[in-house]
């Protein structure tokens, strides 16, 4: 499983248009495996909006028993819903690599 540093994208690489200052969150779905998917957002975006986008990409409704955690720290991401993405990335989860699993899926520590 590869990790990446916070990516503040400052231009397109030809594959996907990006806007200056956007941050990219990588999410590993431990229930299905495979490569991670990404969600990007502005530095001032509330984490709750990024979490909504994660669930939209997963095609799932959030459940209280879901595990959405920062890979580096193991902390639940959802508890920081009111934080701005830039602040979360600078203090709580700098690599912005998350893992997702339903309560019955994924690997448990």
């Amino acid at each position: 499983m590869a990790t990446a540093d916070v990516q503040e994208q400052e231009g397109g690489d030809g594959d996907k248009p990006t806007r200056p200052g956007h941050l990219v969150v990588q999410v590993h779905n431990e229930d299905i495996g495979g490569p991670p998917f990404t969600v990007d957002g502005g530095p001032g975006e509330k984490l709750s909006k990024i979490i909504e986008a994660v669930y939209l990409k997963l095609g799932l409704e959030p459940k209280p028993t879901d595990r959405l955690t920062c890979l580096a720290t193991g902390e639940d991401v959802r508890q920081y819903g009111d934080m701005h993405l830039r602040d979360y990335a600078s203090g709580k989860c700098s690599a912005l690599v998350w893992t997702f699993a339903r309560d019955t899926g994924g690997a448990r520590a």
Side-chain angles (χ1 to χ4, degrees):
M1 183 173 353
T3 60
D5 291 331
V6 173
Q7 301 171 24
E8 284 204 41
Q9 300 190 4
E10 300 204 7
D13 61 358
D15 294 328
K16 160 176 145 176
T18 58
R19 294 181 297 242
H22 262 221
L23 299 173
V24 177
V25 177
Q26 281 189 7
V27 181
H28 295 268
N29 185 339
E30 293 185 344
D31 288 344
I32 63 170
F37 63 88
T38 60
V39 174
D40 72 318
E45 194 83 51
K46 292 272 187 169
L47 213 56
S48 59
K49 289 290 188 183
I50 303 301
I51 293 166
E52 286 176 25
V54 166
Y55 276 97
L56 186 63
K57 282 200 172 190
L58 289 167
L60 299 171
E61 290 294 319
K63 291 185 177 180
T65 55
D66 290 344
R67 295 187 315 271
L68 183 61
T69 60
C70 172
L71 180 65
T73 66
E75 279 193 304
D76 186 340
V77 172
R78 295 171 296 174
Q79 67 181 319
Y80 299 110
D82 288 335
M83 276 185 106
H84 292 112
L85 186 57
R86 93 178 126 248
D87 298 332
Y88 180 74
S90 68
K92 297 291 182 189
C93 188
S94 61
L96 289 180
V97 178
W98 298 354
T99 61
F100 170 83
R102 289 286 180 171
D103 64 337
T104 57
R108 293 190 185 244

